[in-house]
Amino acid sequence: MTANTLPLAGFRVLSAEQYGAGPYGTMFLAQMGADVIKIEPPKAGDTARAVGPHYLRQGESLYFQSFNLNKRSLTLDLNSADGQEILHRLVKTSDAVVNNLRGDLPDRIGLTYEKLSQFNPAVVCAHLSAYGRDNERARWPGYDYLMQAEAGWLALTGEPDAPPTRAGLSLVDFMTGTMMTIGLLGALVDAQRTGIGRDVDVDLLSAAVHQMSYPAVWYMNEGDVTARVARSAHPSVTPSQMFRAADGWVFVMAQLPKFWDILVERIGHPELASDARFVTPADRLANRDILTDLLDGIFSTQPVVHWVDLLAGHMPVSPVFGLDQALDNPYLETTGMIDTVSHPDRPEMRVLANPIRMNGERLPNRAAPLLGADTETVLAEAGFDAAEIASFKEKGVV
């Protein structure tokens, strides 16, 4: 698949972004072919470049590579008059402007549709903040972990007798970045039809609350507060949880009645199906602890691979992998989820492929840019001559 055949080829997105949520979302745009120009403060750049512990060179981290594939880097001081002049010229030939700044900053820095539409009426301005731009928390800084805490995620995660536990990854960041991208693309489609852009807003806390999904609807309508269940089990279906194998854990999901029948047959204990304690889904749920002990006794007689091989393809089952096992899984090579890109400091840098396929092919990747690697090129494309670019550099604007 070539860059010209990608669905967003020819679209330009300016993004005043940093860290994880915004860059994660715009990376999808870049991987689908958009020219995503990452606007970074001169000298230090995106704070993600300094996030350790693994670096390609000083100020260039592997963490940064995780969220910025396929982009170009422009260093620009948006707080300066010259920086604003450059921004306004770039906006004239751009389709969208993105930021994931604190809620009160987009208006102050001039990144809203109200401020930018005079230079391009069709521009879409997407804003990703912690708490939104139009309420008493607009000035509050915020991060993923805080959203998991306030939205109730921690209270739902972990063993019942353990402290509230966050998800092991910054899932709120990633989900919010994805939602921002969906909103931006929807507004962009409309702008292509009408020639009129708009603001698009999404915030971390709203996204985190939205992901509470069915437990939220249960509570709001029935007062049902979903509680944590041992073994990462499903709250209302069993057996649908982890079980102890001889050498680790296996996750088995008899989520439908037919899978319960398949499970007891394939593990060699069909008598469990007629046991009065386990006949119906309600019976099994009422006797979850007893059933867990019985199945632990069976699964603990053989290693994880035995049970996965026995059940795979017949019912939902998975080994419980550590990070190393998960990434060394040969199946990822089969599906093309591991990609290799060339970076100046690591010619064969391994990265994750985008999960989206177009015409059956994974989206192409290239390494994230060095800080300011594309500044001169972007400014020249905008019509600034060599003397003007040199002047901007001397004044620290770029």
Side-chain angles (χ1 to χ4, degrees), residues 60-294:
E60 295 291 343
S61 70
L62 283 176
Y63 180 93
F64 178 81
Q65 291 292 322
S66 303
F67 306 113
N68 292 286
L69 300 174
N70 292 32
K71 301 177 186 178
R72 296 200 286 171
S73 173
L74 164 70
T75 53
L76 184 63
D77 179 6
L78 290 173
N79 290 302
S80 68
D82 286 335
Q84 286 291 307
E85 178 191 347
I86 293 170
L87 171 67
H88 297 159
R89 190 177 300 189
L90 291 172
V91 166
K92 292 178 180 179
T93 57
S94 297
D95 300 284
V97 177
V98 175
N99 76 85
N100 68 323
L101 302 174
R102 199 178 67 201
D104 62 314
L105 295 179
D107 184 64
R108 194 178 87 188
I109 299 177
L111 298 177
T112 63
Y113 183 73
E114 180 184 5
K115 299 289 179 64
L116 297 179
S117 59
Q118 60 184 300
F119 306 103
N120 181 354
V123 72
V124 172
C125 297
H127 312 276
L128 190 163
S129 60
Y131 301 102
R133 298 187 297 127
D134 58 354
N135 60 73
E136 66 273 17
R137 293 192 185 185
R139 292 178 56 84
W140 288 22
Y143 291 100
D144 177 290
Y145 295 5
L146 302 179
M147 309 308 155
Q148 292 193 36
E150 186 169 357
W153 288 32
L154 271 69
L156 280 177
T157 307
E159 293 296 303
D161 57 351
T165 305
R166 70 170 175 85
L169 296 167
S170 298
L171 298 181
V172 177
D173 275 352
F174 307 151
M175 291 174 178
T176 310
T178 304
M179 293 175 188
M180 181 272 294
T181 297
I182 293 171
L184 183 154
L185 289 174
L188 188 60
V189 168
D190 187 62
Q192 294 295 299
R193 291 190 298 231
T194 66
I196 304 299
R198 68 181 72 196
D199 287 306
V200 174
D201 280 90
V202 64
D203 64 89
L204 296 175
L205 185 56
S206 293
V209 170
H210 189 264
Q211 294 304 302
M212 292 296 281
S213 59
Y214 63 89
V217 174
W218 288 349
Y219 171 72
M220 290 187 295
N221 292 278
E222 301 294 337
D224 181 2
V225 179
T226 300
R228 284 182 279 176
V229 184
R231 304 287 187 86
S232 296
H234 191 279
S236 59
V237 179
T238 196
S240 187
Q241 63 186 69
M242 293 190 298
F243 293 99
R244 292 185 186 273
D247 61 347
W249 296 92
V250 60
F251 210 117
V252 176
M253 297 189 73
Q255 203 71 8
L256 302 176
K258 68 176 182 179
F259 292 136
W260 165 247
D261 296 333
I262 292 170
L263 173 64
V264 296
E265 287 291 336
R266 294 199 67 81
I267 65 175
H269 288 272
E271 74 279 2
L272 291 175
S274 57
D275 189 310
R277 298 169 295 180
F278 312 131
V279 173
T280 68
D283 293 333
R284 294 192 287 277
L285 186 62
N287 293 287
R288 187 202 297 267
D289 292 344
I290 297 171
L291 183 56
T292 295
D293 288 342
L294 285 171

Side-chain angles (χ1 to χ4, degrees), residues 243-250 295-307:
F243 293 99
R244 292 185 186 273
D247 61 347
W249 296 92
V250 60
L295 292 177
D296 267 357
I298 296 168
F299 283 117
S300 63
T301 63
Q302 297 288 344
V304 171
V305 66
H306 169 83
W307 299 114

Side-chain angles (χ1 to χ4, degrees), residues 350-374:
R350 301 184 79 201
V351 298
L352 297 174
N354 190 291
I356 297 172
R357 294 173 185 256
M358 296 283 179
N359 292 329
E361 295 183 39
R362 295 285 181 192
L363 302 175
N365 279 324
R366 68 175 187 272
L370 296 173
L371 177 61
D374 307 288

Side-chain angles (χ1 to χ4, degrees), residues 292-351:
T292 295
D293 288 342
L294 285 171
L295 292 177
D296 267 357
I298 296 168
F299 283 117
S300 63
T301 63
Q302 297 288 344
V304 171
V305 66
H306 169 83
W307 299 114
V308 172
D309 287 347
L310 184 72
L311 300 174
H314 300 280
M315 65 170 296
V317 64
S318 174
V320 180
F321 279 159
L323 177 65
D324 51 350
Q325 294 171 300
L327 272 299
D328 290 337
N329 187 349
Y331 186 67
L332 298 187
E333 297 288 352
T334 300
T335 59
M337 269 306 298
I338 305 297
D339 198 2
T340 302
V341 297
S342 181
H343 184 276
D345 301 322
R346 187 168 296 187
E348 294 189 356
M349 183 172 65
R350 301 184 79 201
V351 298

